[in-house]
Amino acid sequence: MRAEIVSMSADRLDEEALLRAGRILKEGGLVAFPTETVYGLGGNALDSRASIKIYAAKGRPSDNPLIVHIADIDKLSLIVSEVPEGARILADKFWPGPLTMILPKSEIVPKETTGGLDSVAVRFPSDPVAQALIKAAGGFVAAPSANTSGRPSPTTAQHVEEDLGDAIDMIIDGGQVGIGLESTIVDFTEAVPVVLRPGYISLDMLKETLGEVRMDQGLLKADSKVRPKAPGMKYRHYAPKADLSIVEGPIDSVVEMINSFAARAEAAGGQVGIIATDETMDRYPIGVVKSIGSRQEEETIAHHLYEVLREFDQCKVSAIYSEAFYTPRMGQAIMNRLLKAAGHKIIKVQEEQ
């Protein structure tokens, strides 16, 4: 059966639809909903069967933990056994917001929700629609991104419908999301807090607030066989259908190399996709060229990344080449997602030449 789609906004909540969605979740069903980061696929976090349904709907490996979303800070103590002082400090500063913290779980959280771990990932989203749904559902909603596993994360309800329209009960359409990249994940189960996934809240912001914080060393490397402690650490994610490569180096050399790939493809009767910026897109005369945003406004790059990757799925391109985006504040988060989408394929211009 096709998912019911209901529309609402932060300033015009549909209370009746929210009650219906909350009832679906309480009864073990699945509801996709907007957050400030990406759309989430919600299930009752305290119901092991609902978590199993989430994995099945997405085609997601069951050792990839789900994030438990709350809408009331007082609920935190029910699902975790301990809240370190550093976690309290971050919660005070960044919740509600795009921050997920990994903490020791309490007994009421099933291991089907945590990917078999004794820790639980928790987030308090700032989106009013998300908060209203979580409250209607009883306070604890497990929600990974609402896409087929491995595909670019959804930033609109239409993306959710494309991937999961036949697999879930309801989609709440709250329009395009604000940030466009998943939340920052900080692990508090080690002596020094560790960033397991970069996001809108950067490492510098975390250090400024907490002092000592380190970045997980495996973030920009190929996937390992280690059990993932957080979503997105182990498996290929965000990938378009065409093969994606990142071209890295001085921008003039990058443009020259991507143009050579495009010319080669055209000579062979094909065409490539090119991910450029507002500043460079006019420098690519052939190929399917899409601007991801402006380097002067790096939030636009984060906002459009998944949308552009999905758009290329509608184009008949044999391969996609992207510029690298090491922007000052969100560069770590943007490149983390882009590297995952590319399967860590990087062409370094100077080495190639």
Side-chain angles (χ1 to χ4, degrees), residues 35-38 66-69 87 90-91 93-103 120-126 143 179-188 193-210 213-216 219 229-233 238 302 306 329-334 336-337:
T35 76
E36 71 275 25
T37 56
V38 298
L66 306 177
I67 294 174
V68 178
H69 292 62
L90 289 191
K93 178 152 188 180
F94 296 115
W95 274 2
L99 172 71
T100 295
M101 294 190 282
I102 296 180
L103 303 163
V120 60
V122 189
R123 180 161 110 77
F124 185 163
S126 62
I179 295 174
L181 291 183
E182 297 84 355
S183 59
T184 303
I185 298 180
V186 182
D187 182 11
F188 279 96
V194 183
V195 176
L196 299 184
R197 184 174 72 189
Y200 183 83
I201 296 169
S202 67
L203 181 63
D204 286 343
M205 292 164 71
L206 294 166
K207 284 182 173 179
E208 192 177 295
T209 306
L210 280 188
V213 182
R214 67 180 179 86
M215 186 75 78
D216 182 83
L219 274 176
K229 294 182 75 174
M233 289 193 71
Y238 323 121
Y306 295 140
R329 193 176 68 78
M330 293 192 70
Q332 284 180 322
I334 294 164
N336 170 262
R337 307 315 194 273

Side-chain angles (χ1 to χ4, degrees), residues 40-320:
L41 174 57
N44 182 350
L46 306 186
D47 181 348
S48 60
R49 293 166 300 178
S51 293
I52 291 168
K53 274 189 183 179
I54 290 173
Y55 288 115
K58 283 177 60 71
R60 178 186 177 105
S62 60
D63 67 344
N64 203 356
L66 306 177
I67 294 174
V68 178
H69 292 62
I70 61 174
D72 179 350
I73 194 67
D74 292 335
K75 296 278 192 183
L76 181 62
S77 61
L78 298 177
I79 56 171
V80 304
S81 59
E82 177 190 354
V83 183
E85 181 59 25
R88 292 184 192 279
I89 292 169
L90 289 191
D92 286 344
K93 178 152 188 180
F94 296 115
W95 274 2
L99 172 71
T100 295
M101 294 190 282
I102 296 180
L103 303 163
K105 81 176 191 71
S106 72
E107 289 300 316
I108 69 168
V109 184
K111 287 202 172 181
E112 287 82 359
T113 298
T114 66
L117 299 174
D118 292 321
S119 57
V120 60
V122 189
R123 180 161 110 77
F124 185 163
S126 62
D127 184 278
V129 176
Q131 289 183 11
L133 174 66
I134 295 163
K135 289 173 181 174
F140 304 104
V141 175
S145 54
N147 57 305
T148 304
S149 192
R151 294 266 291 135
S153 296
T155 56
T156 69
Q158 289 70 36
H159 296 161
V160 180
E161 189 180 9
E162 284 171 18
D163 284 12
L164 301 175
D166 290 324
I168 64 178
D169 301 292
M170 180 186 281
I171 299 170
I172 298 177
D173 184 350
Q176 182 144 14
V177 301
I179 295 174
L181 291 183
E182 297 84 355
S183 59
T184 303
I185 298 180
V186 182
D187 182 11
F188 279 96
T189 64
E190 299 190 23
V192 175
V194 183
V195 176
L196 299 184
R197 184 174 72 189
Y200 183 83
I201 296 169
S202 67
L203 181 63
D204 286 343
M205 292 164 71
L206 294 166
K207 284 182 173 179
E208 192 177 295
T209 306
L210 280 188
E212 190 177 12
V213 182
R214 67 180 179 86
M215 186 75 78
D216 182 83
Q217 292 305 301
L219 274 176
L220 297 182
K221 297 177 183 176
D223 296 331
S224 72
K225 295 181 180 179
V226 178
R227 178 185 284 275
K229 294 182 75 174
M233 289 193 71
K234 180 177 178 182
Y235 300 98
R236 190 183 181 208
H237 279 62
Y238 323 121
K241 292 175 183 176
D243 192 55
L244 170 66
S245 299
I246 302 166
V247 183
E248 188 177 286
I251 192 61
D252 289 343
S253 301
V254 166
V255 170
E256 183 181 347
M257 176 161 284
I258 292 177
N259 277 330
S260 73
F261 291 141
R264 229 178 289 171
E266 186 179 62
Q271 65 178 345
V272 301
I274 299 169
I275 300 178
T277 62
D278 293 351
E279 292 84 359
T280 59
M281 70 176 299
D282 291 341
R283 298 176 65 182
Y284 297 105
I286 53 178
V288 179
V289 186
K290 294 184 181 292
S291 173
I292 198 171
S294 169
R295 290 182 187 274
Q296 305 307 312
E297 299 174 43
E298 57 184 307
E299 286 84 358
T300 61
I301 296 175
H303 185 73
H304 295 297
L305 174 60
Y306 295 140
E307 182 180 8
V308 166
L309 290 176
R310 280 181 174 267
E311 284 176 0
F312 274 118
D313 286 347
Q314 312 305 318
C315 306
K316 293 180 179 178
V317 295
S318 55
I320 303 168

